[in-house]
């Protein structure tokens, strides 16, 4: 059981008050997921910076509950590939999700079988991810990408499927270094 509760969400910065639990993902967590693994290994020899973090409200992992998270995905690239979240499918194939862009400019990649979608995300973009669609977020801007996620607490996350099958698409900086291009991969 859980009582009704209230927190503050700073709609400009995405900061929750009081600050909830923090999950951190580093460059090394992108091993096996990036386009250029050799380049990643060389960059890791120099250090293992934080790529993104997720702030998670404390909600019981029980059917009927909803998890509420805010993701902060840093700006940067590995070679020409913009920083991205690992990406996952929900283990519970009936579990949908809602994303709300708060800050920065990103791209949400969706995949279900051979069907892929590319959705631009910025402040005020509300995206409905139906059950069964794998999802990964990419930061294509020069500032941190911030977005809110709401999804069933019993969704579960399958990361291995994305690791083995990929997302079908990647997001690269264009040759001129500005903007982005979507490539099959
Ligand atoms: C959870 C939701 C987000 C991601 C977060 C990090 O279902 O999609 O909160 O967990 O953006 O991405 P990932 O792929 O590392 O879980
Ligand atoms: Zn999800």
């Amino acid at each position: 059981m859980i009582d009704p509760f209230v927190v503050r969400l700073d709609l400009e910065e995405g900061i929750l008050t009081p600050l909830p639990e923090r999950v951190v993902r580093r460059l090394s967590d992108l091993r096996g997921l990036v386009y250029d693994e050799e380049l990643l290994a060389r960059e890791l020899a120099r250090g293992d910076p934080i790529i993104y973090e997720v702030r998670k409200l404390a909600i019981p992992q029980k059917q009927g509950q909803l998890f509420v998270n805010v993701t902060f995905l840093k700006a940067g690239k590995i070679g020409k590939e913009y920083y991205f979240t690992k990406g996952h499918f929900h283990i519970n194939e009936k579990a949908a999700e809602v994303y709300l862009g708060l800050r920065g400019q990103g791209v949400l990649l969706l995949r279900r079988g051979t069907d892929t979608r590319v959705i631009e995300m910025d402040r005020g973009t509300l995206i409905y991810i139906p059950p069964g669609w794998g999802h990964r977020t990419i930061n294509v801007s020069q500032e941190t990408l911030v977005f809110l996620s709401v999804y069933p607490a019993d969704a579960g996350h399958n990361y291995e499927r994305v690791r083995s099958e990929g997302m079908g698409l990647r997001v690269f900086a264009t040759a001129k270094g500005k903007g982005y291009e979507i490539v099959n991969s």
Side-chain angles (χ1 to χ4, degrees), residues 25 52-54 56 68-72 85-88 90 97 99 129 135-137 147-151 155-157 159:
R25 299 288 178 230
Y52 61 99
E53 63 177 72
V54 184
K56 307 177 140 189
V68 181
N69 294 346
V70 178
T71 301
F72 299 81
T85 58
K86 294 198 300 176
H88 56 264
H90 293 158
E97 181 153 7
Y99 275 21
I129 306 170
H135 40 285
R136 167 182 286 168
T137 315
F147 59 94
L148 178 85
S149 309
V150 181
Y151 57 102
H157 295 88
Y159 292 100

Side-chain angles (χ1 to χ4, degrees), residues 4-185:
F5 68 89
V6 179
V7 297
R8 297 297 304 177
L9 172 63
D10 179 331
L11 293 170
E12 301 293 329
E13 303 290 337
I15 308 288
L16 289 159
T17 309
L19 261 182
E21 182 197 351
R22 174 185 191 226
V23 174
V24 167
R25 299 288 178 230
R26 294 181 178 275
L27 192 59
S28 55
D29 292 306
L30 299 183
R31 275 197 197 104
L33 297 172
V34 300
Y35 175 73
D36 190 337
E37 294 288 345
E38 283 182 19
L39 178 58
L40 176 68
R42 286 202 297 278
E43 293 201 359
L44 282 171
R46 292 202 297 269
D48 192 9
I50 292 173
I51 304 298
Y52 61 99
E53 63 177 72
V54 184
R55 294 283 181 173
K56 307 177 140 189
L57 295 188
I59 291 160
Q61 191 168 3
K62 296 255 170 67
Q63 190 176 18
Q65 304 284 358
L66 293 171
F67 277 162
V68 181
N69 294 346
V70 178
T71 301
F72 299 81
L73 174 57
K74 290 186 186 296
K77 290 177 288 187
I78 302 150
K80 59 185 178 179
E81 186 169 27
Y82 282 116
Y83 282 174
F84 56 87
T85 58
K86 294 198 300 176
H88 56 264
F89 288 81
H90 293 158
I91 294 170
N92 175 355
E93 292 185 352
K94 293 181 178 162
E97 181 153 7
V98 170
Y99 275 21
L100 175 62
L102 296 175
R103 192 181 177 106
Q105 290 199 312
V107 169
L108 179 66
L109 291 183
L110 300 174
R111 182 172 81 79
R112 187 183 64 176
T114 55
D115 199 354
T116 51
R117 304 290 163 87
V118 178
I119 299 175
E120 290 195 332
M121 185 164 77
D122 62 5
R123 181 174 170 73
T125 309
L126 191 151
I127 306 167
Y128 184 77
I129 306 170
W133 287 80
H135 40 285
R136 167 182 286 168
T137 315
I138 297 92
N139 185 350
V140 297
S141 71
Q142 312 298 317
E143 64 171 319
T144 300
L145 176 70
V146 185
F147 59 94
L148 178 85
S149 309
V150 181
Y151 57 102
D154 63 349
H157 295 88
N158 182 343
Y159 292 100
E160 282 316 306
R161 189 165 159 202
V162 169
R163 200 176 288 278
S164 58
E165 300 174 7
M167 285 298 297
L169 301 172
R170 290 186 181 279
V171 182
F172 290 155
T174 57
K176 287 180 182 164
K178 273 193 170 181
Y180 67 89
E181 59 186 358
I182 307 290
V183 298
N184 289 310
S185 170

